[in-house]
Amino acid sequence: MSPVSSNAPHGQSPLRTVQVLGGGNAGSSAHVRSLAEGLVARGVRVTVCAPAEADRAYDFTGAGADHVHVPRSSDPGSVAALRAACADADLVHAHGLHASFRAVLALSGRGTPLVVTWHNRARAEGARAHLLRLLERRVVRTAAVVLGTTSDLVDRARRTGARDARLAAVPLPGRRRPADHDDPDRLWPKIRAELGATGRPLLMAVGSLDPQRGYDVLLDAARTWRDLDPVPLVVVAGEGPLRPVLQRRIEDEELPVRLVGRREDVPELLAAADLALLTSSWESRSVLAQEALHARVPLVATRVGGIPDLVGDAAELVPYGDAEALADVVVRLLADPDRCELLRERGTRQAATWPTEDETVAQVLSVYDELTQPQPLA
């Protein structure tokens, strides 16, 4: 096994790492893309094992990595394909529970170090929940290092039996920002007019339309906002299985809510908003929360998972599932521009404390160093 070095000494091969992704979760895929680019720039050879559609969406090859198509975990050939891809790897780094479990199986009988990053908490009920706990235990007890994106994920890994669990540095994924030449005074009114929010507050929520996001609670709160003058417009950017149910409620109850589907201009939509809303039952390092603070948009979020650590005092936090508390906080903020400005200032300061992409790559490289460089004799 060759020693790791960002610039391999003469006569030594550069470190070869394999990054393993599962179904292409947006947060973990964006993180791997950023990580691959940073590692390649430091002389590390990177192979990304992921479904072909993930490479099309995140362009791992454009970051300088090799891409190997590995089917999703439901495909019986996925472990064999991953085992072949990892044959000459110095180190394997898997992202997410299912990708990590496949990596454990693929590396069985080999001495290749395995690093695991948990980006989110796997959730299930009944027999499937028991199965997920068994998978978690197998993964964390096999991995040399488990990196958790939040402190509660690190604690969970330690309780499950991890030999070494640490807090991961994870930057805001590199999503396109409005160009410097874009004039907000011209851009934002155009966006607000398109959405139907001219002359009324615009409240933005972003995320897939699934039960975890708490959009049923958001619609409950929106009933209260119908009594305001002017009536705020809630815009939800995202797609998912709950769209028919949510749309039916919006129409039946005449709620001031629009579902706009997947959008490529989320940063612009968010920057044009008066408030950002995050109503999830659990989040790790929420991209919406990070983008809201970066864009100086006051954030109202649920006090769950990694949100409190992520935002500090730069957001208004409410209990999950409490529609009344959510509605009340929004009403207060819409009537209190001074409080909104304070949250904007705090958001700017809080965002400055988050890790950069360079810092994230440096942390990961230091872990790789520990696991691949020969240790001095005592």
Side-chain angles (χ1 to χ4, degrees), residues 262-316:
R262 290 191 182 92
R263 299 282 296 232
E264 298 298 322
D265 58 347
V266 166
E268 289 88 346
L269 297 180
L270 190 58
D274 295 285
L275 299 176
L277 307 179
L278 180 62
T279 55
S280 302
S281 62
W282 197 89
E283 292 277 353
S284 54
R285 291 187 66 86
S286 162
V287 173
L288 171 63
Q290 294 176 78
E291 290 194 329
L293 268 59
H294 270 294
R296 291 176 55 82
V297 177
L299 172 68
V300 181
T302 44
R303 189 182 290 105
V304 297
I307 295 299
D309 288 343
L310 179 67
V311 303
D313 65 354
E316 297 282 1

Side-chain angles (χ1 to χ4, degrees), residues 173-185:
R175 182 182 271 171
R176 186 181 68 83
R177 296 293 190 275
D180 291 340
H181 61 265
D182 286 341
D183 181 358
D185 291 335

